[in-house]
Amino acid sequence: MSVSSQRGHIAWAVQTQKAGTATGFATGNISTDWQRHRAESVTLGVNDLYDVLPLEVGGSLFVNSSYKNGAFVAGGARLFSRLQGTIGYLIHGAAGKASQAATGNGTTVPYKTRFEVNPSDETQMPWMALRKFTPASQGATGITEYFIDCRLNMLTISVPAMGPVMMEFMVVGRKPELDDGEGVTQADIAFESGTSLAHGCKGEITLSGFTGNSLPFLSAADGKFTSAQIMIANNISQPDQQMIIGSYHPDDLVPLSRAVQLRLIYKWQDPKLYKKLYYGGGSGNDVQWSPVVGNSPISVKSTSVTNIAGASVPYSFEFVAGDVDWTMTPPQLAGNNLLFCEFTGIVKGGNNPGTPAWYIDLVNMNDYSELTA
């Protein structure tokens, strides 16, 4: 007998607070409905802190015993970025703060929700709960696992030249629980259709507003890229650092640092970008290497193919960072091939008080009132 993965699913929700040591996971622990989302793959699961007893003098050449120190939650999922609503709760988990306003476009008024790192408290991150259903061989039976007190420690957004935008996330969490049925009765959000998928062909990368040692791009048309990747990393304290006497699970999980790296593949058109980053933009003879780091803001945007029903705008997301330092690889010459360069950016924070290091604007029909209240 074999079992298909197709009937499995993953869902997430924002918790009202850390559940802590409470026995059992109740509906009241979450402030949102369970947000189900289709996934290409799911790696989320239980991690045992397993070890073996050191070898002891006592007559045998083999290990005598092994033991468990405890358990925590790790893993995530890889999914295509439907923008109808569910994905916003995941982005909130990576950012920490949400605010929203009506866009005023069309007879049906979509909302533009901004998810950002709170500039006045960069440690602000929500506790999240996740759920994974693993199917049995037939029927609706299977097992449901709940993963409690989770923090999102990685969100990668990949924008291709062709095809839908891909998102991959990873979490670390305090506590797993098993339910052979559906023990938590909070309502589920239905799976979203493909009409809200963000597409690379409907994308745009803009590096603008430059002064001083800025990059030589003035608009999206000036820079042509074959792919873009946004890697949002929240360095969460390690579970083994948080183990305490009297508990099998980590006591807490807190952000120690935060980072965003951007990776763009640039289709070579002329040498001005290369000259700017390596030689300070100089031209002529005997131009010397420059130690000055190129800097600019960036916007990466992608939309759905069609407009939101009843509105004059499509579903969309836009990643914006205002202070990015850039490097690039030298062009590689290869027979029978085009010229490409890898363009890497590091998002900086703290230089502009009151301004978030990065944010994502999401346009859809969800007002996310439980997050923005």
Side-chain angles (χ1 to χ4, degrees):
M1 179 170 53
S2 301
V3 180
S4 170
S5 294
Q6 284 298 108
R7 292 188 300 107
H9 71 253
I10 186 173
W12 50 81
V14 177
Q15 294 180 194
T16 55
Q17 59 188 6
K18 177 184 171 185
T21 58
T23 301
F25 186 62
T27 301
N29 291 128
I30 58 176
S31 60
T32 64
D33 292 334
W34 285 105
Q35 308 292 319
R36 287 195 296 174
H37 199 291
R38 301 180 191 277
E40 185 185 57
S41 61
V42 178
T43 61
L44 182 67
V46 183
N47 272 41
D48 277 343
L49 293 169
Y50 171 84
D51 211 340
V52 295
L53 208 63
L55 288 170
E56 302 168 285
V57 177
S60 175
L61 299 185
F62 293 90
V63 168
N64 177 261
S65 183
S66 64
Y67 58 96
K68 292 184 179 182
N69 289 303
F72 65 97
V73 178
R78 179 178 167 85
L79 42 92
F80 294 108
S81 56
R82 293 170 171 84
L83 303 180
Q84 189 172 328
T86 298
I87 206 72
Y89 297 93
L90 197 63
I91 296 172
H92 180 62
K97 181 184 177 183
S99 59
Q100 113 271 305
T103 63
N105 291 292
T107 55
T108 300
V109 182
Y111 290 91
K112 177 186 286 187
T113 306
R114 177 162 296 181
F115 301 94
E116 64 183 40
V117 176
N118 188 346
S120 62
D121 181 7
E122 294 179 341
T123 66
Q124 179 181 328
M125 291 182 66
W127 290 103
M128 299 190 69
L130 291 96
R131 187 186 71 191
K132 183 176 76 171
F133 175 72
T134 302
S137 58
Q138 58 186 357
T141 60
I143 61 169
T144 302
E145 291 174 281
Y146 296 94
F147 304 109
I148 303 166
D149 290 344
C150 295
R151 301 281 205 190
L152 198 145
N153 58 356
M154 188 273 285
L155 177 65
T156 299
I157 304 171
S158 299
V159 183
M162 299 184 295
V165 173
M166 179 69 73
M167 293 190 183
E168 183 174 0
F169 73 91
M170 302 289 286
V171 302
V172 59
R174 291 187 56 253
K175 188 179 179 183
E177 288 186 7
L178 174 67
D179 191 334
D180 281 329
E182 292 288 340
V184 176
T185 57
Q186 189 82 355
D188 276 12
I189 296 299
F191 286 123
E192 297 174 4
S193 70
T195 58
S196 65
L197 280 168
H199 285 264
C201 293
K202 298 284 288 181
E204 181 180 285
I205 298 174
T206 305
L207 299 97
S208 60
F210 307 117
T211 58
N213 293 310
S214 62
L215 301 180
F217 288 159
L218 300 178
S219 69
D222 290 326
K224 296 184 177 180
F225 301 93
T226 61
S227 69
Q229 192 173 55
I230 304 161
M231 293 163 281
I232 300 168
N234 297 317
N235 179 25
I236 306 298
S237 56
Q238 295 298 308
D240 58 356
Q241 293 177 307
Q242 293 279 2
M243 298 302 290
I244 60 173
I245 295 171
S247 174
Y248 280 118
H249 307 292
D251 179 57
D252 201 0
L253 296 167
V254 297
L256 304 176
S257 62
R258 309 182 79 161
V260 179
Q261 182 172 328
L262 300 147
R263 180 177 178 268
L264 312 176
I265 302 301
Y266 171 59
K267 188 166 74 72
W268 184 278
Q269 296 179 89
D270 58 54
K272 62 182 180 181
L273 175 60
Y274 178 77
K275 288 165 62 177
K276 181 67 179 180
L277 290 177
Y278 279 90
Y279 298 100
S283 59
N285 298 323
D286 299 322
V287 178
Q288 301 299 305
W289 170 84
S290 172
V292 177
V293 178
N295 177 274
S296 82
I298 186 173
S299 162
V300 180
K301 184 176 182 179
S302 185
T303 76
S304 61
V305 174
T306 58
N307 286 346
I308 300 170
S312 60
V313 294
Y315 295 98
S316 69
F317 86 89
E318 181 180 16
F319 171 89
V320 176
D323 189 1
V324 186
D325 282 350
W326 296 99
T327 60
M328 71 181 297
T329 60
Q332 303 294 308
L333 307 178
N336 197 34
N337 208 341
L338 297 174
L339 275 176
F340 296 95
C341 295
E342 184 173 320
F343 191 39
T344 303
I346 298 296
V347 175
K348 298 188 298 184
N351 295 326
N352 300 294
T355 301
W358 63 269
Y359 63 83
I360 291 177
D361 281 343
L362 190 62
V363 175
N364 57 24
M365 291 305 300
N366 194 328
D367 66 4
Y368 299 103
S369 57
E370 67 272 52
L371 304 181
T372 59

